[in-house]
Amino acid sequence: MASLTIASRALARGVSRSTACLNAARTLSTSAQLHDAAGSYSSPFKGESKSTKIPDFSHYLNKGTSNTNLLFSYFMVGTMGAITAAGAKSTVQGVYSTQHIAIAHVAPRRPKHQIADQFLKNMSASADVLAMAKVEVDLNAIPEGKNVIIKWRGKPVFIRHRTADEIDEANKVNVASLRDPQADEDRVQKPEWLVMLGVCTHLGCVPIGEAGDFGGWFCPCHGSHYDISGRIRKGPAPLNLEIPTYDFPEEDKLVIG
Ligand code: FES
C-alpha cells in the first residue's frame, strides 16, 4: 500500500511538471504571436520560402532622408558646374581682352581660332617650368679629352670634349659598314663637343666612358661597344647613342633641352 502511494505521488509530480512545461511553451508562443501582431518586426521572407516572389523591403527604407540626399547632390553638381563655367569664362575673356587691347590700334581683330590658340598656350607650362627642362653647362669646366655626365630630365647626358685625334678617328670610319649608319658630322654641332644621352640603346643601361674595343663607351650589361662618336660597333645594341636637343647660346655655354 505504501509503495502504491509513493508511485501515485511520483506520477502526479511528473504530470504537474509536464503541464508546467506545456504552459510555459504556450505562454512563449502567445507572447511571440502578440509581439508579431504588434508589428515591431515582420520578416519579409515570411511565407515566401517556396515562392519566386521578391519580398517587399519598402518598409526598411528611410523615408525621411531620400529627398534631402537628392537636394544635396543637385546643389553640389549645380555649384561645381557654375564655378567651372565662371572660371572658364573669365580665363577666355582675360585672354580675349588682352589680345584686343594689344592689337586694337595696330591691326584688325584676330580671328577666333587664333584667340583659341592663345588660350591653349595660356594653359600650357609656364616659362619657369619650361626653364627647368633645360640644363646649362659651362664648357670651360671640361678639359680636353675628358667626359662629364650631367642629369637632364632624369636621364644621364654624356658630354665629351674630344681631342683632334678622336675627331679624326671618328671621321675615318666607313659609315656604310656601321649597323646604324651615321656620319660623325651629323652627330655633332661642333666637332670637339660630343653630346649624347647616356642610355644604352639595347635595354637602357648606362655605358661606361673611355672603355670598350673602340675607345668610346662600353655597356657592361650585355657587352655593347660604342665608338668615339657614340655609334654602336659591337654587341646587341641596335642603334647609336641618342643625341638630345642642345644649343650653344654662347661660345663656352651649352644648353641641353
Ligand atoms: S643594356 Fe647595354 S648592352 Fe644590354
Side-chain angles (χ1 to χ4, degrees):
M1 190 64 188
S3 62
L4 188 61
T5 308
I6 292 167
S8 67
R9 275 187 195 151
L11 185 62
R13 250 187 253 126
V15 168
S16 71
R17 260 196 222 125
S18 63
T19 307
C21 288
L22 199 59
N23 288 339
R26 271 197 199 124
T27 307
L28 278 173
S29 167
T30 308
S31 67
Q33 280 172 0
L34 285 173
H35 200 56
D36 198 28
S40 64
Y41 173 74
S42 177
S43 169
F45 298 101
K46 188 175 177 184
E48 304 290 347
S49 60
K50 292 186 180 172
S51 168
T52 54
K53 186 182 164 193
I54 299 171
D56 180 17
F57 292 97
S58 60
H59 62 282
Y60 287 104
L61 290 175
N62 189 343
K63 294 176 181 62
T65 57
S66 59
N67 283 342
T68 310
N69 289 342
L70 274 179
L71 282 175
F72 180 73
S73 301
Y74 292 155
F75 174 74
M76 289 306 293
V77 169
T79 305
M80 293 307 291
I83 290 171
T84 306
K89 186 183 170 193
S90 63
T91 307
V92 173
Q93 277 182 338
V95 173
Y96 180 79
S97 60
T98 306
Q99 293 286 316
H100 187 59
I101 290 165
I103 66 177
H105 303 293
V106 294
R109 274 191 189 181
R110 286 190 183 183
K112 282 183 179 170
H113 74 271
Q114 287 188 12
I115 294 167
D117 285 350
Q118 186 62 35
F119 170 67
L120 291 175
K121 277 184 200 159
N122 201 38
M123 300 298 282
S124 63
S126 57
D128 57 331
V129 172
L130 290 175
M132 284 172 64
K134 295 176 183 281
V135 175
E136 189 176 294
V137 181
D138 180 9
L139 296 177
N140 287 320
I142 309 174
E144 197 179 53
K146 292 292 176 193
N147 283 339
V148 162
I149 304 175
I150 61 153
K151 192 175 166 189
W152 172 68
R153 295 184 185 174
K155 295 177 184 168
V157 174
F158 295 159
I159 303 170
R160 172 82 180 175
H161 191 172
R162 298 193 299 186
T163 63
D165 287 348
E166 289 171 345
I167 296 167
D168 281 349
E169 187 187 330
N171 283 314
K172 265 193 248 163
V173 175
N174 179 9
V175 175
S177 68
L178 298 173
R179 183 181 300 169
D180 183 10
Q182 201 173 21
D184 182 65
E185 63 187 11
D186 294 335
R187 293 177 54 77
V188 292
Q189 291 184 25
K190 291 183 178 181
E192 65 272 32
W193 294 108
L194 176 64
V195 183
M196 51 193 185
L197 290 184
V199 179
C200 180
T201 57
H202 181 220
L203 291 176
C205 289
V206 178
I208 299 165
E210 299 177 359
D213 294 352
F214 297 87
W217 286 262
F218 171 66
C219 181
C221 291
H222 309 95
S224 289
H225 299 250
Y226 298 90
D227 66 13
I228 196 60
S229 186
R231 295 172 294 199
I232 182 64
R233 301 294 291 274
K234 188 174 158 190
L239 298 171
N240 303 331
L241 291 178
E242 190 182 337
I243 307 295
T245 305
Y246 68 92
D247 195 13
F248 296 98
E250 294 172 29
E251 185 60 28
D252 295 326
K253 283 246 163 47
L254 167 68
V255 173
I256 302 168

